Amino acid sequence: AIESFVDELAHAAGVDPVEFRLKNLKDPRARAVIKAAAEKVGWQPGQSLGENRGRGLAFAQYKNRQCYAAIIVDLHVDRESGILQLERAVIAADAGQVVNPDGLSNQLEGGFVQSASWTLKEQVDFDKSGILASDWDSYPILRFPDVPKIETVLLNYPELPFLGSGEAAQGPTPAAIANAVFDAVGVRLREIPFTEERVKQALR
């Protein structure tokens, strides 16, 4: 919610979302992960990805004291069906000294997929008889075809203590998706999950 509102503030101020954050962040490590993510995607202020396609950025420091993570998402919005198709995700992270780069990348990427699933799909549906989803087959989750290409950039600082990174990607992911939707079609989604019906309602 915070990072979606930061995106709104940037647009209200007429300032590029990356530039807006860099102007208002003093922490050099926070600035570094945002710059790394933006560099990886080739971020250009005002750049259009094409009709109904958008790019969104979000940043957070896990628990305000652990791993720094900036996430950029590219997606496509199908105006007729309301389906949001994630196309690409870039995660830039600073967890201090990196002990196991593969393990850290897996943790961040898995966190992104889990959070994207919460954001796009997951909710417990009820009717008068009770819960409708009785197993993992009927419960709505992100499936393999829905997962975008994910690229991870790790900023390693061997001279600094290692930081906890367990859920560093979960917070920024929904905001990056929501901000990309705004970039694509100019509407703000404020309630998760971003189901097809909620997307179509926002577009109407």
Side-chain angles (χ1 to χ4, degrees), residues 167-189:
E167 296 180 339
Q170 273 86 333
T173 295
I177 293 171
N179 295 342
V181 170
F182 178 78
D183 186 54
V185 292
V187 299
R188 294 286 180 186
L189 301 177

Side-chain angles (χ1 to χ4, degrees), residues 8-48:
E8 291 192 46
L9 291 173
H11 285 281
V15 179
D16 173 73
V18 169
E19 183 183 350
F20 186 85
R21 285 167 175 79
L22 295 178
K23 280 185 174 182
N24 288 282
L25 278 169
K26 295 181 180 178
D27 187 333
R29 296 174 75 175
R31 293 168 56 86
V33 293
I34 291 171
K35 288 180 178 178
E39 182 178 336
K40 182 68 176 178
V41 300
W43 184 286
Q44 297 292 330
Q47 180 183 26
S48 173

Side-chain angles (χ1 to χ4, degrees), residues 50-55 75-77 79 179-187:
E51 188 176 5
N52 299 322
R53 284 185 160 79
R55 173 171 286 168
L75 55 71
H76 174 262
V77 180
R79 287 179 174 270
N179 295 342
V181 170
F182 178 78
D183 186 54
V185 292
V187 299

Side-chain angles (χ1 to χ4, degrees), residues 70-123:
I71 295 178
I72 295 176
V73 169
D74 292 350
L75 55 71
H76 174 262
V77 180
D78 188 311
R79 287 179 174 270
E80 290 193 10
S81 68
I83 292 173
L84 305 182
Q85 181 62 55
L86 305 182
E87 297 179 335
R88 182 187 185 192
V90 167
I91 307 166
D94 164 8
Q97 181 182 9
V98 178
V99 178
N100 183 338
D102 187 54
L104 179 56
S105 295
N106 288 335
Q107 186 68 30
L108 294 164
E109 292 165 15
F112 173 87
V113 172
Q114 181 185 42
S115 189
S117 184
W118 297 339
T119 305
L120 299 180
K121 303 283 187 181
E122 295 190 36
Q123 62 182 355

